[in-house]
Amino acid sequence: MRHVFFLFCCLLPPASLFAQQDGPAYEDILRGFDDPERWLTYSGDYSGRRHSPLTQITPENVGELRPIWTFQTGTTTRGRGFEATPLVDDGVLYVTGSNNYAWAIDARSGRAFWSYRRDLPDDLTYGASAPVNRGFGMLGNQLFMVTLDAHLLSMDRRTGDILWDVQLADYRIGYAATLAPLIIDDKVIVGISGGEYPTRGFIDAYAPVTGERLWRFNTIPGPGEPGSETWPDDPEVLARGGGGTWMNGSYDPELNLIYWGVGNPNPDYFGDSRPGDNLYSNSIVALDAERGDLRWHYQFTPHDINDWDSNHVPVLVDAEWRGEPRKLVMMANRNGFFYVLDRTDGELLLGEPFTGTTWAREIGSDGRPVILNDGSQGCLPDPWGSTNFMPPSYHPELELFYVTARETCATYVPEEPAYTPGQASFGGVVFIEPDGTGALRALDIHTGELRWEFTYPSPTFGGVMTTASGLVFAGDHEGNFIAFDAATGENLWHYQTGSRIWGAAATTFMLDGRQHVLIPSGTTLTAFALPE
Amino acid sequence: MRLRLLAGIGLLVLALSGVRGTFGQDVNPLAGDVRAVRAGGALFRAQCATCHGADGRGIESIDAPDLRLMWARDGVDDEYVFTTIRDGVPGSIMPPHGLPETELWMLVAFLASQVEAAANAEYDGDAVNGRELFAANCAECHRAGAGGGGVLGPSLNGVTRRRAPEALTQSIREPSRQIARGFGPVTVSGADGETVTGVLKNEDAFSLQLVTEEQELRAFRRGGLRRMQRLEESLMPAFPETDLSAGELADLLAYLHENQ
């Protein structure tokens, strides 16, 4: 070993020495779960399915699963803590926490190699609604992380040192950033938070090495641009139209399209100042990865007045659809519907309700929801929606889509807000009944029908992961990390983590021949494995 | 409407030019000002209601506290509330708010107005008699003052600072009308035939945490239960006038008011 090092250090310049130790290349991320010891991007691969091929932990032995270590941030964030998916490479976890802390952690012991904390400005605005972060992107020895003051950073993954730092937008207006950057080939793709403030959303691509911006797609069109006809003819309204892009997108390398959810129009609840459908709010957009051009879009909730952002992980699946092989994208939406679209052109193939909402029960032939209850016929799903950004999962053999559902009851009272930079402009208030419930639901992707469910005593924000051995791992608002039989819904195991599992989902990887499962919860990260 | 509100704020700011540089002061210069309360309400709905609820009562599922209860806590005064809104609560989801000082005081005035009915109430009953009534009728389940008491019901220390006399009267006369958070009555039946009644302190998909009628902390696994029933009727008995006269009720409230 020493000889090898000696050889390199003498024959090659230092830059090449680093190249010998490089981390994952784009081709490695492209191969997704091929290397069982790695988890290289937010959902494990570009498809957003969060479905691991690992099979050591099975429905038969999951009852033996036990914690092997916990990592605590040492910070005091209440209510919402870890929402990140740790990335895993070569026995090291790379994970971000609340308030823009970050760590590299030994996956065997749970001990940190380094920690990082961003020095955030005193006059920070809360465009992110909560001081959270959803994880790193990784390419080579570079990590990429967005910040609450709306910057994109690149770090050296060996030290946590900052390599470059670019501003995405001005936090003082209400912009912030929380998502895990999507790394494709030679681009770092990020979105922005701030839809509760008078802001205008976008999706950006940056060059990994230099941080140079390569393209920007604005989610709210400019005056005269396509889509602007769905807004009032008023540049000021467009400039503060909202449409945040605060949750990760997915990527189809063959079509070279990225798929991204877009958030609510602003003001959230007061729609009278923005008559029209308000594109591309509450839509999924398919962008050409090379240039950021819009290829197609589908709007789930035209003219939203309930803050039902569509910031969900798009789930990409190739499957037989009505007898033909098709490329699909699926999304369970805050508005209470489960959707299947053709991801080549955005054609709507299925839209069925997955909660008891009375807002609408069908999607019309024009692709728009048939609204039965605008709120005057009783309560609507609350502003956190029928599900939210917590990752769903898809099991390809069972053809089931697993989603955390929320059954809530809210009354919206709109009121025109003031539009002040740096101040939230919700445009009204919401009364939420205190007795909502939650459930993990398994949906048949061909019909949207409920195959099984497991109910929780309160509306829940936990994400979902599945494994090829036929397991579903989910988390609840009371802090339980839970395993189910993917086919039947039978509850096989649970562990009380001590804090809400909020927005986070499990990851799994092999290390020293043992399958590890990780779950973030509160300010703690817990690793599980079967007994040795 | 907005214009009128802004004009109102403008007038207030003029009226307040004498209180510029209010930083660090501990009394709200706008206390009780009706216009300030109204403007504070508008600010509250725009800036605070998403987490604290449109009525300020908090949203349990996101850990946002009921703001009406905070005034009864030790050390909470106008300045504390002002500072908390301005600086946020570090390490929590509660952000700082860079609003002008006048608007911060408007928010304080609005929040204070939400509990005014309780704060300004007068209690002229006989507290000494009230103490005896409390010992005889309430102390088995409630705590108040140095004498202590039972743990099945909520502590009544400082309750007259949180709730108005009308609300307290209703809770005594008709306790099932509104049952406090964390005191919902349940009956659970175990597989072995044991039946336990108590108040539900916490629950998740797998377990229940109760304080039983016998005032013991008992937890149950859902899987081991035959039945779990939420009861409509409070475990607290009702006290109609025939059992507790209007005069006795006033004495009881006067005693509770003494125990801040």
Side-chain angles (χ1 to χ4, degrees):
Chain A
M1 188 61 212
R2 218 160 141 193
H3 291 291
V4 174
F5 178 78
F6 182 75
L7 198 68
F8 277 135
C9 85
C10 298
L11 296 182
L12 301 167
S16 303
L17 176 60
F18 293 154
Q20 295 300 316
Q21 304 166 333
D22 261 359
Y26 166 62
E27 289 69 26
D28 297 314
I29 309 173
L30 200 55
R31 282 193 286 271
F33 289 104
D34 277 8
D35 183 340
E37 298 197 340
R38 285 176 147 177
W39 188 291
L40 298 178
T41 187
Y42 182 76
S43 299
D45 67 11
Y46 286 130
S47 75
R49 291 190 292 242
R50 203 169 277 263
H51 177 76
S52 163
L54 298 186
T55 55
Q56 190 180 77
I57 301 169
T58 66
E60 289 70 36
N61 65 23
V62 69
E64 298 296 310
L65 202 61
R66 57 202 55 187
I68 54 172
W69 54 255
T70 59
F71 172 81
Q72 299 204 21
T73 63
T75 62
T76 55
T77 300
R78 289 192 309 209
R80 289 173 70 171
F82 270 126
E83 294 189 0
T85 290
L87 301 183
V88 186
D89 183 38
D90 201 17
V92 181
L93 307 175
Y94 301 92
V95 62
T96 65
S98 295
N99 296 304
N100 293 144
Y101 281 67
W103 301 268
I105 299 169
D106 173 13
R108 291 178 174 85
S109 66
R111 298 288 295 167
F113 290 100
W114 54 256
S115 69
Y116 167 82
R117 179 181 71 86
R118 181 163 177 82
D119 198 8
L120 291 163
D122 291 338
D123 57 346
L124 194 66
T125 55
Y126 268 62
S129 297
V132 296
N133 190 277
R134 307 210 170 84
F136 281 121
M138 181 157 57
L139 186 67
N141 273 326
Q142 282 181 277
L143 296 170
F144 305 91
M145 165 180 151
V146 296
T147 68
L148 295 168
D149 55 340
H151 282 235
L152 169 63
L153 314 179
S154 177
M155 286 179 200
D156 186 318
R157 72 172 189 160
R158 298 160 300 188
T159 60
D161 292 349
I162 301 297
L163 301 173
W164 51 257
D165 174 341
V166 297
Q167 178 181 292
L168 302 173
D170 187 351
Y171 71 87
R172 291 171 301 182
I173 298 169
Y175 286 106
T178 56
L179 48 55
L182 173 69
I183 312 302
I184 62 170
D185 199 2
D186 51 359
K187 292 179 191 67
V188 180
I189 309 209
V190 297
I192 196 79
S193 311
E196 276 64 66
Y197 288 67
T199 63
R200 180 192 190 199
F202 55 82
I203 300 166
D204 277 357
Y206 292 84
V209 175
T210 61
E212 177 199 0
R213 193 165 96 195
L214 303 172
W215 53 254
R216 167 167 290 185
F217 171 76
N218 289 302
T219 59
I220 307 297
E225 290 178 0
S228 62
E229 70 282 359
T230 66
W231 290 86
D233 185 16
D234 182 344
E236 277 187 32
V237 173
L238 291 169
R240 59 165 191 253
T245 48
W246 48 269
M247 194 55 205
N248 307 54
S250 301
Y251 175 57
D252 182 330
E254 277 179 36
L255 298 173
N256 202 28
L257 291 179
I258 63 169
Y259 301 89
W260 218 279
V262 182
N264 61 281
N266 189 268
D268 301 44
Y269 314 132
F270 184 78
D272 291 0
S273 64
R274 48 175 175 82
D277 283 355
N278 306 145
L279 290 174
Y280 298 94
S281 69
N282 300 59
S283 302
I284 181 173
V285 293
L287 305 182
D288 171 75
E290 195 51 42
R291 295 155 44 96
D293 296 337
L294 179 68
R295 188 67 61 83
W296 59 259
H297 77 277
Y298 175 79
Q299 190 176 39
F300 301 100
T301 309
H303 190 71
D304 171 39
I305 48 170
N306 304 112
D307 192 14
W308 293 338
D309 302 54
S310 294
N311 303 88
H312 314 277
V313 180
V315 177
L316 313 185
V317 170
D318 293 346
E320 285 272 311
W321 189 266
R322 314 280 187 256
E324 276 178 60
R326 286 191 95 149
K327 292 178 181 296
L328 310 173
V329 55
M330 304 179 189
M331 221 185 230
N333 197 275
R334 252 155 104 156
N335 69 13
F337 278 78
F338 168 67
Y339 295 89
V340 181
L341 308 172
D342 185 314
R343 74 172 182 273
T344 61
D345 59 7
E347 181 192 347
L348 175 71
L349 303 176
L350 184 85
E352 291 291 334
F354 68 93
T355 64
T357 182
T358 56
W359 172 67
R361 300 304 295 170
E362 63 176 314
I363 306 299
S365 55
D366 57 357
R368 301 166 70 91
V370 180
I371 295 173
L372 303 172
N373 176 15
D374 60 2
S376 54
Q377 310 296 312
C379 59
L380 299 174
D382 76 15
W384 286 276
S386 296
T387 186
N388 206 300
F389 65 96
M390 51 282 203
S393 185
Y394 174 73
H395 194 298
E397 280 74 42
L398 299 170
E399 297 197 321
L400 292 177
F401 185 93
Y402 302 89
V403 61
T404 300
R406 304 174 75 256
E407 298 281 2
T408 59
C409 172
T411 306
Y412 294 76
V413 182
E415 178 181 349
E416 177 150 38
Y419 303 102
T420 312
Q423 300 289 346
S425 46
F426 286 96
V429 291
V430 185
F431 294 84
I432 302 168
E433 299 291 324
D435 52 358
T437 59
L440 174 67
R441 293 191 172 143
L443 307 178
D444 181 323
I445 65 158
H446 297 286
T447 61
E449 279 170 19
L450 181 67
R451 187 69 65 81
W452 58 258
E453 72 171 337
F454 181 85
T455 56
Y456 305 123
S458 69
T460 296
F461 286 91
V464 190
M465 175 185 76
T466 57
T467 66
S469 60
L471 286 171
V472 181
F473 288 93
D476 74 17
H477 214 50
E478 285 71 42
N480 290 298
F481 182 44
I482 317 173
F484 301 92
D485 183 307
T488 66
E490 184 189 351
N491 170 226
L492 302 170
W493 172 85
H494 73 272
Y495 175 83
Q496 173 56 249
T497 63
S499 185
R500 285 171 179 166
I501 297 170
W502 189 318
T507 48
T508 187
F509 55 93
M510 295 300 289
L511 189 61
D512 306 328
R514 289 171 89 192
Q515 184 180 352
H516 287 54
V517 179
L518 292 179
I519 189 71
S521 145
T523 52
T524 301
L525 184 62
T526 308
F528 298 86
L530 296 171
E532 280 186 280
Chain B
M1 178 61 207
R2 221 175 95 218
L3 272 179
R4 239 192 302 157
L5 180 64
L6 287 175
I9 293 174
L11 280 174
L12 261 177
V13 171
L14 276 178
L16 284 169
S17 47
V19 294
R20 283 172 61 84
T22 46
F23 180 86
Q25 80 177 63
D26 55 1
V27 175
N28 187 352
L30 305 180
D33 185 310
V34 179
R35 293 168 303 172
V37 168
R38 204 159 48 226
L43 283 167
F44 183 85
R45 289 191 292 279
Q47 299 295 329
C48 319
T50 297
C51 291
H52 290 290
D55 48 13
R57 294 183 185 200
I59 299 175
E60 198 176 8
S61 64
I62 58 167
D63 295 326
D66 185 336
L67 296 178
R68 296 167 312 156
L69 303 183
M70 70 182 168
W71 298 99
R73 295 208 322 260
D74 285 342
V76 173
D77 55 16
D78 287 352
E79 186 192 19
Y80 175 91
V81 176
F82 176 96
T83 311
T84 304
I85 301 170
R86 188 191 59 197
D87 300 345
V89 179
S92 89
I93 196 169
M94 167 78 182
H97 293 85
L99 300 168
E101 277 186 24
T102 306
E103 294 187 12
L104 290 170
W105 284 125
M106 287 172 182
L107 277 169
V108 176
F110 168 73
L111 291 168
S113 75
Q114 297 300 97
V115 288
E116 221 159 34
N120 295 338
E122 286 181 17
Y123 296 89
D124 48 12
D126 175 357
V128 175
N129 188 43
R131 180 179 180 165
E132 281 174 28
L133 287 164
F134 183 84
N137 296 293
C138 318
E140 190 183 334
C141 298
H142 293 284
R143 280 95 59 221
V151 299
L152 190 59
S155 166
L156 300 179
N157 284 316
V159 72
T160 57
R161 276 157 66 190
R162 300 194 291 273
R163 304 189 66 207
E166 299 75 26
L168 291 169
T169 300
Q170 190 195 66
S171 289
I172 294 167
R173 298 278 190 227
E174 304 169 85
S176 300
R177 280 275 288 272
Q178 195 192 348
I179 299 176
R181 221 186 248 183
F183 294 89
V186 292
T187 294
V188 296
S189 308
D192 57 1
E194 183 195 25
T195 295
V196 175
T197 297
V199 293
L200 187 62
K201 310 308 287 187
N202 208 353
E203 63 176 316
D204 70 4
F206 305 101
S207 66
L208 307 171
Q209 288 74 35
L210 269 64
V211 172
T212 68
E213 282 184 310
E214 290 74 34
Q215 310 207 1
E216 290 167 343
L217 307 187
R218 287 278 304 271
F220 299 86
R221 286 173 182 277
R222 279 187 198 268
L225 294 181
R226 217 156 28 85
R227 207 158 83 103
M228 187 277 225
Q229 190 184 4
R230 292 173 208 270
L231 308 175
E232 299 280 313
E233 292 285 307
S234 170
L235 297 186
M236 173 172 158
F239 288 88
E241 281 220 48
T242 46
D243 295 348
L244 191 73
S245 70
E248 288 172 323
L249 183 74
D251 294 349
L252 186 57
L253 295 183
Y255 170 68
L256 293 176
H257 191 59
E258 268 192 0
N259 288 291
Q260 297 290 0

